[in-house]
Amino acid sequence: MTKASDRKEIVRKIQAAVDSGVKLVTACNNAGISRRTYDRWNKDDNWVDGRTTCKRPTPKNKLRDEEKEKILEIVNKPEYSSLPVRSIVADLLDKKQYLGSASTFYTVLKEDKQLKHRGKCKKPEPRPISTHCAKKPNDVWVADITYIPSYYRGQFFYHFSIMDLYSRFVVDHEVWDNQDAINLVKVIQRSFLKHKICLNDHLLVLHTDNGPQMTSDIYKKTLNDLNIIDSKNRPRVSNDNAFMESHFKTLKYFIPIFQNKFENLEAARLNLNDSIHYYNYERKHGEIQHVTPYERFTYRDIQLLKERNEFMQEVIKEKPERWAKSPREWKYINEVWLNPPKGSDKQPTQNIYQSLALNEYRDSGELITPSKSIWLPEGI
């Protein structure tokens, strides 16, 4: 590796040879360097080696070992052990002491492997995302509370809704003028009995956010008594319950009979009851192959999708020239993931003809009859 002083001397001699009539390439070859190296050395007056592997002189502003030890001694004092570095530097300045900038403190702490969690508070721990797969109705329920505005500023009603993840069918809902956890528990108990969850051969999963109602003692006790698995969002992550958030947007913006504001609680309950009925039994849902949530909840979508495919085959036979390639096949969605693991298929599908075994509609379970009165009076 050539020193900076030697570089400068080599460039000076090459320039002198060129001035005397020697070709530049010949002069470079005689000096033992290439023309490219000469151009790089002669580019500016900075003769310092720019390569990262070269040895460099020690910077004048580098901290001495005793200065580093002083910084470590200061930050590990009891009065500073739980403070951030910037607060320590500011406090030292108030005491007319300067040992270095905040970045210098961080550099010293990093070298000594002390750049970790500081203070008495518990170190933040990453929480795994709640991942669930629904392969049939009543496998996984998602629930949440949304605000419903009234005609009076500052007054709101609160709509608590429980939706089946597999079918997007709203299994139960209710509107209240408060957010008490006891009201939420009543809806859970009512939906548990109405859909005969106790007859399932597996435990039901109920996924919610971390609201105060969903973390209350009475909520946890109710789920424990009913043998329901409690699933939660990660802290401060709202999109872990994206299905429920999407449902509320659909309810408020895409249900034509939904009103934006209500005069009183009774009016809100009547309108929400009609809106949920429209959502469950009339509105076709795009994510479940454009069938209603009720049709999927009761497995009636299997026959419906089969008939769509058969009808399309008849249309193709009548006018085959209209299709340059095969038309869309209406496939039955076999499972629905809530927060699927990375690298997995979000919505596995299977051919509708392979799903006809499910067309027995599971005679062991009783189907729900459509009704506009899907809430009951207070009490179970």
Side-chain angles (χ1 to χ4, degrees), residues 295-304 306 332 352-367:
E295 289 171 339
R296 180 164 171 81
F297 189 72
T298 56
Y299 296 106
R300 300 184 181 186
D301 60 330
I302 297 177
Q303 183 63 27
L304 180 60
K306 177 176 178 295
Y332 180 78
I352 184 62
Y353 302 109
Q354 298 174 353
S355 304
L356 291 181
L358 297 175
N359 202 17
E360 301 174 356
Y361 297 116
R362 307 198 177 205
D363 295 333
S364 58
E366 181 180 349
L367 299 182

Side-chain angles (χ1 to χ4, degrees), residues 34-45:
S34 65
R35 166 70 182 274
R36 181 181 179 86
T37 301
Y38 170 79
D39 291 338
R40 178 164 52 82
W41 288 359
N42 196 38
K43 187 175 182 180
D44 50 36
D45 295 334

Side-chain angles (χ1 to χ4, degrees), residues 41-282:
W41 288 359
N42 196 38
K43 187 175 182 180
D44 50 36
D45 295 334
N46 185 13
W47 304 98
V48 177
D49 194 336
R51 290 172 290 188
T52 59
T53 56
C54 70
K55 294 183 179 180
R56 303 185 184 280
T58 303
K60 296 180 180 180
N61 60 347
K62 183 178 180 180
L63 291 178
R64 299 187 300 273
D65 292 340
E66 54 269 22
E67 291 177 320
K68 293 181 180 180
E69 292 177 359
K70 182 64 175 177
I71 291 177
L72 293 175
E73 179 184 351
I74 290 292
V75 297
N76 287 302
K77 285 185 176 181
E79 60 268 27
Y80 292 137
S81 61
S82 61
L83 291 179
V85 169
R86 296 186 184 277
S87 297
I88 298 175
V89 172
D91 188 68
L92 292 175
L93 291 176
D94 294 339
K95 296 178 180 179
K96 308 304 180 183
Q97 297 183 41
Y98 183 79
L99 300 178
S101 63
S103 61
T104 300
F105 273 63
Y106 279 118
T107 301
V108 173
L109 289 173
K110 184 177 181 180
E111 290 178 355
D112 201 57
K113 297 182 179 180
Q114 294 191 33
L115 194 58
K116 298 181 180 180
H117 180 73
R118 298 171 58 84
K120 298 179 181 179
C121 62
K122 185 179 179 181
K123 182 180 178 181
E125 298 179 359
R127 298 190 182 182
I129 188 172
S130 299
T131 301
H132 303 287
C133 179
K135 297 185 178 181
K136 58 181 180 295
N138 296 329
D139 266 358
V140 181
W141 285 357
V142 292
D144 202 356
I145 299 177
T146 187
Y147 285 74
I148 303 295
S150 69
Y151 283 117
Y152 308 101
R153 178 176 296 181
Q155 180 183 8
F156 295 92
F157 304 113
Y158 306 96
H159 179 221
F160 178 70
S161 184
I162 305 176
M163 184 176 68
D164 177 63
L165 178 64
Y166 180 79
S167 61
R168 316 302 204 278
F169 182 81
V170 177
V171 296
D172 208 341
H173 78 107
E174 185 60 283
V175 183
W176 306 93
D177 56 1
N178 58 71
Q179 299 189 68
D180 291 346
I182 186 64
N183 296 330
L184 181 149
V185 166
K186 288 180 180 179
V187 180
I188 295 176
Q189 292 173 337
R190 188 174 63 199
S191 58
F192 184 87
L193 296 176
K194 180 167 54 175
H195 295 279
K196 301 180 180 179
I197 303 303
C198 57
L199 301 179
N200 286 1
D201 56 355
H202 59 280
L203 297 181
L204 171 68
V205 176
L206 179 58
H207 182 84
T208 62
D209 58 17
N210 291 281
Q213 302 82 10
M214 290 76 165
T215 56
S216 61
D217 291 339
I218 188 172
Y219 177 88
K220 296 178 180 179
K221 183 179 183 303
T222 300
L223 266 58
N224 183 65
D225 293 342
L226 299 177
N227 286 330
I228 297 177
I229 299 176
D230 187 11
S231 176
K232 289 287 190 291
N233 289 4
R234 289 169 294 175
R236 296 172 296 280
V237 180
S238 61
N239 56 0
D240 281 358
N241 201 5
F243 287 91
M244 206 66 226
E245 303 295 342
S246 177
H247 164 69
F248 284 147
K249 181 177 181 180
T250 300
L251 180 65
K252 294 181 178 180
Y253 295 95
F254 299 101
I255 301 298
I257 61 177
F258 178 79
Q259 299 178 11
N260 293 328
K261 297 180 180 180
F262 300 98
E263 177 71 23
N264 50 50
L265 179 61
E266 185 62 26
R269 285 180 171 178
L270 289 175
N271 183 262
L272 263 297
N273 188 49
D274 293 339
S275 299
I276 294 297
H277 183 274
Y278 178 89
Y279 171 84
N280 276 341
Y281 301 106
E282 299 182 36

Side-chain angles (χ1 to χ4, degrees), residues 286-297:
E287 291 298 319
I288 53 176
Q289 299 290 33
H290 296 277
V291 299
T292 66
Y294 172 74
E295 289 171 339
R296 180 164 171 81
F297 189 72

